[in-house]
Amino acid sequence: MEELGKASAGGQLESMKSAVNGNYNDLQSKSTELSQRLLSFLNSEPATDQSRSVQKQVRISLGVIEEALDRYSLDELSISYNGGKDCLVLLILFLAALASRPIELPAKIQSVYIVSRFPFIEIDTFVNESSEAYCLDLERYAKPMKVAFGDYIKEKPNVKAIFVGTRRTDPHGENLTFFDRTDHGWPDFIRIHPVIDWHYAEIWTFIRHLQIPYCQLYDLGYTSLGGTLDTHPNPALRSKVESSQESSIVFRPAYELVEDWEERLGRDR
C-alpha cells in the first residue's frame, strides 16, 4: 500500500464539520468543490501503479454515473448510503459528476439508509454528520433490506433507479453488471453499481488521496461494517504491542489491508 495522507478519521470529521458550517453546505458548492478535487487527481501524474489504477477506475465509474444521469432525471434517482467506505466513494463520485450537468440541482439528493438491527453508534454518528455535509435527504429504515426498499419505493414512487456501492467481492456481487433490475421478489427498480469492479485497496487509495472523512471504526481495524453482533476488528490486522511491563493486542487501520479476500474476515457472515 502506497504512503498517503496521515489524517485520522476523527481529524477528518472535524474538517467535514467545518465544511458543513462554512461555504460548502449547499449542493451546488459541494458538487463543484468535489469535482475540482477529483479533476486535480485525474490530471495529476500517478506516483504509483496503484494511483494509476484508481484513476482508471474513477473514469469508468464516472462514465457509469453519466450514463445513469442521461437515462434518468434526478427525481428518478436515489443513492443507498450507510456510511461504509464503498458507498462513500460512490457518493463522492456521484456528487462530483453533478457539477458538469446542465441542470438546476435540488437542495438535497434523495437517499436511503437501511439501518442495521444492532447498529454501531459510530456508524450512526458518521451517517448523520456526512449526510448533512453532503446534502443528502436521507430516509432511514430499521427493517430487513427487502422490506425497507419496498417501503421506500412505495413512499418514493418516482424513484426508478438506486445507486448501490456493491463491489464484485461482496456477497452476491460476482455476476452483477453496472445496471441490473431487481429480481427474486424484490421491489422493482434498477440497481446501479458504478464501483462494482473496484478492489479493496483502490477504495482506500481514493479515500486517503482525496482526504475524504470516513467512519472512525475503520481506524480501529474494522474493514467491513455491519451490526455490533456480527462485525469485529479484522484478525488480519491484529498486532501485538510489547512494552517493558506487558504486551497488548491492537488492530491496525483498515487501509493497511491489501487483499480483497481478507476484507470480510471480521464478519460472522
Side-chain angles (χ1 to χ4, degrees):
M1 178 76 68
E2 61 185 300
E3 189 71 13
L4 295 168
K6 296 290 189 179
S8 68
Q12 291 177 348
L13 282 173
E14 290 304 315
S15 174
M16 180 165 65
K17 292 174 186 176
S18 297
V20 172
N21 297 320
N23 297 323
Y24 296 112
N25 59 345
D26 66 277
L27 181 57
Q28 185 65 63
S29 296
K30 176 56 68 175
S31 174
T32 300
E33 180 222 0
L34 291 173
S35 176
Q36 291 172 346
R37 290 167 61 185
L38 196 60
L39 286 174
S40 176
F41 169 63
L42 290 176
N43 292 331
S44 65
E45 183 65 28
T48 65
D49 289 341
Q50 180 80 322
S51 292
R52 182 177 291 103
S53 176
V54 174
Q55 287 177 331
K56 179 180 179 181
Q57 294 283 29
V58 166
R59 292 187 176 96
I60 293 171
S61 296
L62 288 175
V64 175
I65 294 170
E66 291 289 350
E67 182 176 346
L69 290 169
D70 288 338
R71 291 190 189 187
Y72 305 100
S73 68
L74 280 181
D75 193 50
E76 295 174 322
L77 289 167
S78 182
I79 184 168
S80 179
Y81 182 69
N82 63 7
K85 63 189 183 307
D86 302 326
C87 62
L88 177 61
V89 169
L90 168 58
L91 175 60
I92 297 303
L93 294 170
F94 178 56
L95 293 178
L98 292 178
S100 63
R101 304 297 294 190
I103 56 176
E104 182 177 352
L105 298 183
K108 293 189 175 183
I109 293 295
Q110 296 184 125
S111 53
V112 55
Y113 172 30
I114 313 302
V115 184
S116 171
R117 186 179 176 188
F118 302 99
F120 283 92
I121 294 175
E122 294 89 344
I123 295 177
D124 276 351
T125 298
F126 179 75
V127 168
N128 290 337
E129 293 174 342
S130 57
S131 62
E132 183 181 359
Y134 296 125
C135 307
L136 298 184
D137 179 15
L138 194 66
E139 299 288 341
R140 294 167 169 81
Y141 296 88
K143 302 177 180 182
M145 190 171 293
K146 184 185 290 189
V147 176
F149 276 119
D151 289 351
Y152 182 65
I153 293 299
K154 288 178 183 177
E155 294 172 15
K156 301 279 187 179
N158 53 295
V159 171
K160 308 300 182 189
I162 300 177
F163 288 100
V164 183
T166 301
R167 292 181 16 253
R168 189 73 62 197
T169 53
D170 290 331
H172 313 296
E174 182 178 2
N175 298 315
L176 294 178
T177 65
F178 291 133
F179 294 85
D180 290 297
R181 184 173 293 278
T182 53
D183 52 17
H184 301 301
W186 281 70
D188 185 39
F189 61 90
I190 299 297
R191 296 165 292 168
I192 309 174
H193 308 111
V195 297
I196 186 67
D197 289 319
W198 286 54
H199 292 287
Y200 177 89
E202 292 170 337
I203 290 288
W204 278 111
T205 296
F206 179 90
I207 289 173
R208 299 187 71 217
H209 187 96
L210 271 70
Q211 296 186 324
I212 303 300
Y214 55 84
C215 179
Q216 64 181 336
L217 289 177
Y218 288 120
D219 280 343
L220 303 178
Y222 293 84
T223 54
S224 176
L225 302 182
T228 57
L229 299 187
D230 65 1
T231 305
H232 317 281
N234 193 315
L237 294 172
R238 178 185 173 117
S239 295
K240 180 180 289 189
V241 177
E242 302 283 354
S243 69
S244 58
Q245 297 179 339
E246 60 181 11
S247 64
S248 60
I249 299 298
V250 299
F251 290 87
R252 305 192 310 279
Y255 55 76
E256 291 193 13
L257 198 72
V258 175
E259 300 295 338
D260 286 336
W261 67 270
E262 294 183 318
E263 178 180 357
R264 295 182 64 87
L265 293 180
R267 298 288 293 274
D268 291 342
R269 55 182 175 84

